């Protein structure tokens, strides 16, 4: 798009556009990100450099892009939330042409008054120095000319390139260009795939080691991160509680989703950790059901609600399953209590040293035994058919966060058993359409865990009691829309 000169002149008046006094001041501070870069540096092999790129901007349709979300590794190490950037973390100090020394550099998108008026404020190189505390920060337009002797490194660690990076022909230093320039600088062997060959043809390029290093860092949460995760969890629990109070037959899945997400926004959660899952009746049997389109949920159904607020980058992941009419039927209660028992058994071994996989094994034992006793499972070959997923993953900047296979102090994880009995399953039809998942979030302590999501009721008794409480939405109505014909 072209802009008339008069608009361009007018925009020059917005010299202070990059400053934003409306921003919340409780994000992770620059000291956190700097310390995380230092920790990464400590894990790097001698004579190496780690290189991380910002996430691409993804297109939604035509000239509308998806809301930009930074790559979590990049955010963790920089605090930078804008696109078209690249970070270098050097193991050893490097010497610049002017003899100054440095061990990290960030290249970012430049300030641009015109673009900022359309798409939002940018920090630019000066802002990155000031706000994020980088000593060496440059506009990405400098990257092409910036001289780094990559041949001298024994290892250049980076993630293999994403395959959905688009070139903006009007921008010669966008992510696509930064990657192309980087490939030229390191003599990336374009014709062979680094991921398909066991050894990269160029010996100092390493596309594997960085994932391991980031997992060992990000799996162990710092005090500041734990505060963020606790906030995301609390917010998500309030959403579950408000829905329990507001739930009525005849509501739509979309409306329930909206109540949760309104609560998230009310508490200033910027985003969702993942698309919200709100499935009534047999829709709950679809593990990642995100259509949420059933218009009228009926009195006798259960509704499975798996939602997590993302607060300042950190996600909760909580599931509650409740009866639409406020009271579990006998069959619903039997299934619910079996899932709850599996979760309670897994909680007993939730402590440092336990392999995460072990929690799934324990839940499977409880659920298989219970389903045999109820006559729902009839043979060994049917085992796991109603419970096809694992129960424990890390949460953090990603809802399925990086982290190790064994539980460690200061991990934040889920325990989420479930039973899903689709219509036409080979069991008595009184069980059909029952889907239950119970998912809670935990912080691993020295010898056990802190259960973070207790604010959202979890037992049959507590859920039924909460559903009797008055709701702020009682009597809330909106006008009918005009009907055509
Ligand atoms: N909400 C996705 C999951 O529970 O893993
Ligand atoms: Mn989960
Ligand atoms: Mn979940």
């Amino acid at each position: 798009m072209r802009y008339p000169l008069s608009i361009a002149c007018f925009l020059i008046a917005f010299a202070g556009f990059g400053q934003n006094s409306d921003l919340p001041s409780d994000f992770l501070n620059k000291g956190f990100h700097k310390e995380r870069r230092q920790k990464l540096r400590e894990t790097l092999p001698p004579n190496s450099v780690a290189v991380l790129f910002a996430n691409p901007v993804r297109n939604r349709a035509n000239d509308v892009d998806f809301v930009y979300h930074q790559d979590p590794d990049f955010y963790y190490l920089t605090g930078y939330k804008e696109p078209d950037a690249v970070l270098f973390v050097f193991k050893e100090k490097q010497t610049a042409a002017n003899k100054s020394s440095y061990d990290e550099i960030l290249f970012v998108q430049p300030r641009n008054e015109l673009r900022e008026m359309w798409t939002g404020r940018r920090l630019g190189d000066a802002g990155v120095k000031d706000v994020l505390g980088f000593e060496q920060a440059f506009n990405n337009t400098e990257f092409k000319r910036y001289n780094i002797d990559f041949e001298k490194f024994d290892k250049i660690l980076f993630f293999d390139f994403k395959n959905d990076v688009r070139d903006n022909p009007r921008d010669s230093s966008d992510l696509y260009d930064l990657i192309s320039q980087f490939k030229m600088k390191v003599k990336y062997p374009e014709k062979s795939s680094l991921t398909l060959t066991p050894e990269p043809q160029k010996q100092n390029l390493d596309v594997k080691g960085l994932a391991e290093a980031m997992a060992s860092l990000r799996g162990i949460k710092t005090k500041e991160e734990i505060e963020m995760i606790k906030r995301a969890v609390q917010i998500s629990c309030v959403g579950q509680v408000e829905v329990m109070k507001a739930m009525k037959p005849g509501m739509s899945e979309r409306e329930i989703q909206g109540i949760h997400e309104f609560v998230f926004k009310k508490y200033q959660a910027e985003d969702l950790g993942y698309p919200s899952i709100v499935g009534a009746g047999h829709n709950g049997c679809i593990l990642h059901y995100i259509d949420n389109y059933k218009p009228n949920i009926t009195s006798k159904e259960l509704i499975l609600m798996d939602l997590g607020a993302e607060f300042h980058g950190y996600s909760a992941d909580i599931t509650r399953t409740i009866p639409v009419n406020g009271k579990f039927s006998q069959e619903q209660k039997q299934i619910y209590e079996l899932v709850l028992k599996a979760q309670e058994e897994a909680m007993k071994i939730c402590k440092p040293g336990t392999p995460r996989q072990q929690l799934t094994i324990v839940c499977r034992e409880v659920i298989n035994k219970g389903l045999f006793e109820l006559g729902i499972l009839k043979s060994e070959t049917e085992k796991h058919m109603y419970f096809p997923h694992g129960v424990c993953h890390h949460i953090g900047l990603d809802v399925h966060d990086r982290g190790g296979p064994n539980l460690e102090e200061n991990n934040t994880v889920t325990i989420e058993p479930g039973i899903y009995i689709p219509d036409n399953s080979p069991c008595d039809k009184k069980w059909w359409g029952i889907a239950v998942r119970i998912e809670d979030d935990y912080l691993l302590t020295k010898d056990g865990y802190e259960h973070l999501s207790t604010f959202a009721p979890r037992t049959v008794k507590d859920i039924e009691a909460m559903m009797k409480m008055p709701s702020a939405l009682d009597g809330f109505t909106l006008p009918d829309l005009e009907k055509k014909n």
Side-chain angles (χ1 to χ4, degrees):
M1 196 181 293
R2 295 188 167 271
Y3 304 92
L5 188 63
S6 56
I7 294 183
C9 293
F10 165 76
L11 286 169
I12 290 164
F14 285 79
F17 228 173
Q19 310 300 320
N20 185 1
S21 57
D22 298 335
L23 270 178
S25 55
D26 56 351
F27 282 101
L28 294 170
N29 65 35
K30 56 187 170 188
F32 168 87
H33 301 290
K34 188 176 167 74
E35 193 255 354
R36 296 289 93 195
R37 292 194 296 280
Q38 179 55 26
K39 289 280 180 214
L40 171 63
R41 189 172 292 113
E42 286 165 17
T43 72
L44 293 177
N47 194 27
S48 68
V49 55
V51 186
L52 291 98
F53 290 89
N55 247 352
V57 175
R58 271 125 181 169
N59 184 252
R60 184 172 182 269
N62 194 14
D63 58 353
V64 177
D65 292 330
F66 283 106
V67 175
Y68 186 70
H69 194 286
Q70 188 54 278
D71 173 79
D73 289 313
F74 197 88
Y75 179 71
Y76 184 80
L77 294 172
T78 63
Y80 189 65
K81 297 201 262 305
E82 300 172 30
D84 300 330
V86 56
L87 169 72
F88 294 84
V89 177
F90 300 93
K91 175 72 176 184
E92 291 90 6
K93 289 270 183 204
Q94 309 294 304
T95 307
N98 66 4
K99 303 283 180 253
S100 64
S101 77
Y102 61 93
D103 57 10
E104 50 196 29
I105 319 177
L106 183 61
F107 292 89
V108 298
Q109 62 174 354
R111 295 287 312 277
N112 179 326
E113 305 289 355
L114 205 54
R115 295 310 310 157
E116 286 179 59
M117 185 176 191
W118 286 79
T119 57
R121 296 175 173 91
R122 299 177 174 192
L123 284 176
D125 56 351
V128 161
K129 288 180 182 166
D130 180 31
V131 178
L132 301 180
F134 277 85
E135 284 170 23
Q136 296 283 326
F138 299 95
N139 287 328
N140 55 19
T141 44
E142 302 291 313
F143 181 58
K144 193 172 180 184
R145 290 194 287 278
Y146 198 90
N147 199 16
I148 301 174
D149 175 13
F150 284 104
E151 285 296 323
K152 73 174 189 189
F153 293 109
D154 290 333
K155 281 254 178 285
I156 302 167
L157 298 102
F158 55 101
F159 294 113
D160 213 353
F161 304 106
K162 294 179 176 129
N163 63 5
D164 58 350
V165 180
R166 292 173 303 146
D167 188 18
N168 175 356
R170 292 192 306 273
D171 184 342
S172 59
S173 57
D174 64 5
L175 182 65
Y176 184 93
D177 301 304
L178 294 177
I179 290 174
S180 306
Q181 291 155 9
F182 173 72
K183 284 177 170 176
M184 280 175 37
K185 285 173 191 277
V186 301
K187 303 193 173 61
Y188 181 80
E190 194 66 75
K191 290 267 163 4
S192 73
S193 162
L194 288 180
T195 46
L196 292 179
T197 50
E199 286 296 319
Q201 284 181 358
K202 191 156 184 308
Q203 291 300 331
N204 71 348
L205 301 185
D206 179 342
V207 292
K208 301 244 164 70
L210 195 51
E212 239 168 75
M214 292 308 297
S216 67
L217 288 182
R218 283 178 54 192
I220 311 290
K221 269 53 183 185
T222 67
K223 202 162 113 301
E224 301 93 319
E225 290 182 287
I226 290 167
E227 288 309 308
M228 298 288 174
I229 291 167
K230 283 186 172 175
R231 183 83 74 94
V233 170
Q234 282 173 1
I235 293 170
S236 309
C237 284
V238 175
Q240 296 283 358
V241 166
E242 290 308 312
V243 166
M244 286 180 195
K245 294 193 285 190
M247 178 67 68
K248 304 239 175 335
M251 285 177 144
S252 66
E253 291 174 342
R254 183 87 62 224
E255 190 177 357
I256 304 301
Q257 175 187 356
I259 298 171
H260 284 279
E261 293 180 10
F262 169 74
V263 170
F264 297 176
K265 294 283 186 254
K266 182 78 179 161
Y267 288 100
Q268 301 301 317
E270 295 87 351
D271 213 332
L272 305 170
Y274 51 94
S276 299
I277 298 166
V278 179
H282 65 115
N283 290 338
C285 297
I286 300 168
L287 301 179
H288 287 171
Y289 171 79
I290 57 171
D291 291 329
N292 305 344
Y293 53 33
K294 184 167 181 170
N296 287 297
I297 52 180
T298 63
S299 167
K300 294 200 170 134
E301 290 177 312
L302 289 177
I303 184 157
L304 186 158
M305 306 176 294
D306 182 346
L307 302 96
E310 183 184 296
F311 182 79
H312 292 12
Y314 287 83
S315 283
D317 186 6
I318 298 172
T319 309
R320 289 292 181 265
T321 308
I322 65 175
V324 170
N325 64 12
K327 190 146 181 57
F328 288 87
S329 72
Q330 197 196 333
E331 287 78 20
Q332 290 169 348
K333 187 169 162 184
Q334 283 172 299
I335 298 297
Y336 190 92
E337 298 211 307
L338 185 51
V339 177
L340 189 63
K341 185 169 171 210
Q343 195 192 39
E344 296 280 350
E345 288 302 313
M347 283 159 64
K348 287 182 189 160
I349 59 161
C350 180
K351 52 178 180 250
T354 303
R356 279 189 291 119
Q357 176 64 12
Q358 192 59 33
L359 276 64
T360 300
I361 293 170
V362 163
C363 288
R364 283 198 177 140
E365 278 169 8
V366 173
I367 286 176
N368 281 330
K369 181 164 178 293
L371 290 179
F372 272 116
E373 282 167 8
L374 291 170
I376 295 172
L377 282 180
K378 297 185 195 71
S379 71
E380 288 292 309
T381 54
E382 288 180 347
K383 265 180 159 180
H384 315 316
M385 69 180 283
Y386 301 114
F387 174 30
H389 60 76
V391 303
C392 183
H393 59 81
H394 295 269
I395 55 169
L397 287 172
D398 281 298
V399 64
H400 296 159
D401 209 36
R402 291 192 190 278
N406 297 332
L407 294 174
E408 295 174 84
E409 187 177 359
N410 293 326
N411 283 166
T412 46
V413 300
T414 63
I415 306 180
E416 49 175 310
I419 296 175
Y420 315 89
I421 312 177
D423 292 346
N424 303 312
S425 294
C427 61
D428 192 315
K429 68 176 183 202
K430 69 180 181 180
W431 304 109
W432 291 359
I434 296 183
V436 173
R437 178 159 66 250
I438 308 172
E439 176 170 28
D440 282 79
D441 298 341
Y442 306 82
L443 166 66
L444 271 289
T445 57
K446 200 160 176 298
D447 46 19
Y449 62 83
E450 185 183 339
H451 190 163
L452 303 179
S453 42
T454 52
F455 189 74
R458 202 166 58 99
T459 64
V460 165
K461 184 164 150 272
D462 290 348
I463 289 172
E464 289 182 349
M466 183 60 76
M467 293 186 76
K468 291 198 176 82
M469 302 287 284
S471 161
L473 291 173
D474 288 343
F476 177 80
T477 54
L478 292 171
D480 288 336
L481 297 182
E482 261 177 50
K483 285 205 180 78
K484 293 219 167 99
N485 308 320

